[in-house]
Amino acid sequence: MTSTGSYQPRQFNLSGLKGISDQTLEMHFKLYEGYVKETNNLTERITEFIKDGNVDQDEMPAYSELSRRLGFEYNGMVLHEYYFDNLQNGGGTGDAARTSQFVKAAEATFGSYDIWKTDFVGIGKMRGVGWAICYQNPANGRISNHWITLHETGNVAGFNPILVMDVWEHAFLLDYKPAERPKYIEAFFSNINWNTVEERLKKFTGVQSARA
Ligand SMILES: [Fe+2]
């Protein structure tokens, strides 16, 4: 965010992924920039409404509509930043290392990394437009996977996004057919930056087991 209060689009050093073309990434960066622009635009317009200290009755319909859209645009901006950040420039190495904190968290909550992955991939294949996100509950360290409709419906307040996967068709349509979302999800997994995931994960000792 700049000193004037508006957000600037971030630049991502990301190319050469496995199964996700540079052309897709370029288009996706442009879409992301659109969310940053709209977030700024809505914020400015809402600021205009409230600067005289009240929202008049005749202003309420327009003010309400802008405010409702703010959640869509804001989450569209932020989730794309999480998504690009958890991809590895030049391609990744596949699944998480067995010794990582992430695998330990997955085992503590799901019983095994493979079961965690089955759940995350399953959510990613759900019909609809949205995201699959693995969150960590900051209160107890447990992780859980969630489906987010569009950008804003289904996010859990206060939970930290650990792994964020865009499954809107624009994320893969230049590389795969609409029905080939599973192939894109496979490609996504081969490009995950597990160092980023590991850094996002807060260290907890004695994470409560799902079976406890
Ligand atoms: Fe996207």
Side-chain angles (χ1 to χ4, degrees), residues 28 31 35 80 83 131 151 166 168 170-171:
H28 215 163
L31 268 172
Y35 286 109
H80 278 103
Y83 171 74
W131 302 73
H151 303 307
D166 192 343
W168 282 58
H170 67 238

Side-chain angles (χ1 to χ4, degrees), residues 199-211:
E199 282 163 16
R200 288 175 182 167
L201 204 62
K202 297 282 182 299
K203 306 293 179 284
F204 276 81
T205 51
V207 172
Q208 193 189 350
S209 167
R211 292 157 296 173

Side-chain angles (χ1 to χ4, degrees), residues 49-50 52-61 63-64:
F49 275 108
I50 57 175
D52 62 357
N54 63 336
V55 182
D56 302 333
Q57 201 61 33
D58 61 335
E59 290 174 332
M60 189 51 89
Y63 170 80
S64 301

Side-chain angles (χ1 to χ4, degrees), residues 18-37:
K18 299 169 186 167
I20 299 172
S21 63
D22 288 353
Q23 198 189 357
T24 290
L25 286 172
E26 289 305 321
M27 181 219 50
H28 215 163
F29 294 147
K30 286 272 172 275
L31 268 172
Y32 154 69
E33 286 171 18
Y35 286 109
V36 178
K37 199 172 152 209

Side-chain angles (χ1 to χ4, degrees), residues 17 24-25 33 42 44 47-48 53 73 79 105 107 110 119 125 143 149 153 167 176-177 183 197 205:
L17 300 183
T24 290
L25 286 172
E33 286 171 18
L42 285 177
E44 276 169 32
T47 303
E48 276 298 307
E73 302 293 351
L79 289 182
E107 286 170 349
F110 287 85
D119 186 47
K125 289 177 184 171
I143 59 172
T149 299
T153 306
V167 290
Y176 304 99
K177 295 187 178 75
K183 286 189 186 171
V197 171
T205 51

